Amino acid sequence: MPSARLGGDAFGYFWLDDRSFATFLIDVSGHGVGAAMHSVTVLNVLRQRALPGVDWHDPGSVLATLNDRFQMDSHNGMLFTAWYGVYDAETRTIAYSAAGHHAAYLVAPGGGGPSPLGVKAMMIGAVPGLPYPVARTSIPAGSSLYVFSDGVFEITTTAGAGWSIADFLPLLTARHDSLAESERLYRAVRDVAGQRALEDDVSIVVATFP
Amino acid sequence: MKMDISPLGERCAKVTLEGRLDTPAVDSIETRFLASLVPGASNAIVDMSRVDFISSMGIRMLVSAARSLKLRQAVLAIYGVQEPVVQVLELAAIHQLIPICNTEADAQTAVGFPVV
């Protein structure tokens, strides 16, 4: 959902082959036409897999190449955060990396809190030539992966308090089957903020693994 | 967001920020922040002790300044960062570009401009 102003979130997902499923989310800093256009440019590169020489199964390769291609000096001072993961349906593992983006979260069936899937690395565009480390984790059957932008939790409550990701995470385990997960979470956050349009863009990707 | 910029010797400035460094704050201070530091290639130390929140836009402002100063052989360092903000900066691995110091004296040393 866009904020009251044009924003810079984008996300996508696609099968790389018959066993590998990739998903990503990017968040360009700022609002307005510039951020939105930059977001669309990066989105098209990812959707069309237009990064020659990249191993799309390797999140580190994808983010390092994006970083070298989208340096802020050449792109109107734009930076963006990114999370990119590839699920292998045969090994039931996900490989992921991130660039200045908070963790995605995995909620497994049977209780327990959300598990962070995060990597500490620089935002895309800030410093050329950086490596982006890759982490892996197993995916139990019935798990749900939540990838989202910071607009979900960088809100001000109706009482005037600033929220954080720690305030948002309990919502992930408060499931309600009558709504799609992304819609349920968006409505819950909007209720907390008491606004029809939130301050920042909100993007939520939920992947459930059978 | 409140911002105060004061000279600290001939080629160094001290910037004090107070409040939430979010999108509205960046919209209101970024032009003066960059204009005060970059054209004069001024080393800069930024007191973050009264910043209780930083968004990606806030990080972008610091990164933009640090990169522009680096091209002019100058350094921007930050110090006194509160724990919640440290966590965000660590997530973004910001230390690869901007020294994160404990004290003002450490920051002065980091920019190569210790004041005695």
Side-chain angles (χ1 to χ4, degrees):
Chain A
M1 298 294 291
S3 60
R5 293 180 289 171
L6 202 56
D9 281 8
F11 61 87
Y13 41 84
F14 43 78
W15 286 93
L16 295 170
D17 51 45
D18 59 3
R19 61 183 277 184
S20 305
F21 179 76
T23 184
F24 64 88
L25 192 149
I26 64 169
D27 183 356
V28 178
S29 296
H31 296 279
V33 173
M37 292 300 290
H38 196 54
S39 165
V40 169
T41 301
V42 178
L43 178 65
N44 284 335
V45 164
L46 289 168
R47 279 186 174 166
Q48 297 170 14
R49 281 169 255 173
L51 292 173
V54 163
D55 177 359
W56 291 90
H57 295 78
D58 176 4
S61 171
V62 173
L63 295 187
T65 306
L66 282 175
N67 183 50
D68 288 338
R69 177 153 171 181
F70 288 99
Q71 280 296 297
M72 64 189 300
D73 290 347
S74 312
H75 292 276
N76 202 27
M78 296 285 177
L79 296 172
F80 61 94
T81 70
W83 193 96
Y84 181 95
V86 179
Y87 172 65
D88 184 327
E90 289 198 10
T91 62
R92 299 200 64 90
T93 59
I94 188 167
Y96 57 91
S97 187
H101 199 86
H102 58 82
Y105 283 83
L106 187 70
V107 175
S115 301
L117 276 57
V119 167
K120 294 176 180 176
M122 186 72 90
M123 298 168 80
I124 300 290
V127 178
L130 293 178
Y132 285 84
V134 177
R136 289 178 172 78
T137 193
S138 59
I139 303 288
S143 300
S144 292
L145 173 70
Y146 296 82
V147 189
F148 47 92
S149 60
D150 58 8
V152 171
F153 57 85
E154 288 184 358
I155 61 173
T156 303
T157 69
T158 51
W163 240 33
S164 70
I165 193 168
D167 298 306
F168 170 72
L169 291 180
L171 292 177
L172 298 183
T173 49
R175 303 186 70 156
H176 191 293
D177 291 337
S178 66
L179 290 173
E181 270 297 90
S182 54
E183 179 67 22
R184 177 184 71 81
L185 291 168
Y186 175 67
R187 290 189 186 189
V189 170
R190 199 178 56 183
D191 287 347
V192 170
Q195 296 170 323
R196 295 182 64 84
L198 296 173
E199 297 166 25
D200 198 359
D201 316 334
V202 170
S203 297
I204 306 171
V205 179
V206 184
T208 300
F209 300 92
Chain B
M1 165 61 65
K2 296 178 182 175
M3 178 174 70
D4 179 69
I5 303 176
S6 56
L8 199 66
E10 283 189 10
R11 196 168 159 264
C12 188
K14 176 181 174 180
V15 182
T16 303
L17 301 176
E18 180 178 351
R20 288 171 64 88
L21 191 49
D22 53 14
T23 299
V26 171
D27 286 345
S28 69
I29 69 171
E30 184 174 29
T31 299
R32 187 159 70 92
F33 180 74
L34 295 177
S36 299
L37 304 177
V38 175
S42 176
N43 291 300
I45 60 171
V46 182
D47 181 355
M48 299 279 287
S49 62
R50 281 173 280 182
V51 174
D52 54 14
F53 174 84
I54 188 167
S55 71
S56 60
M57 275 293 280
I59 294 174
R60 189 187 65 75
M61 185 184 81
L62 295 175
V63 166
S64 293
R67 276 189 60 135
S68 297
L69 290 176
K70 188 176 181 181
L71 290 172
R72 294 163 172 80
Q73 286 74 52
V75 178
L76 179 146
I78 62 177
Y79 68 94
V81 188
Q82 294 184 27
E83 184 55 33
V85 176
V86 166
Q87 291 176 10
V88 175
L89 297 179
E90 285 181 347
L91 182 72
I94 209 78
H95 64 279
Q96 292 175 308
L97 182 65
I98 299 172
I100 302 174
C101 305
N102 290 325
T103 66
E104 180 174 346
D106 292 342
Q108 290 174 3
T109 301
V111 301
F113 202 83
V115 175
V116 294

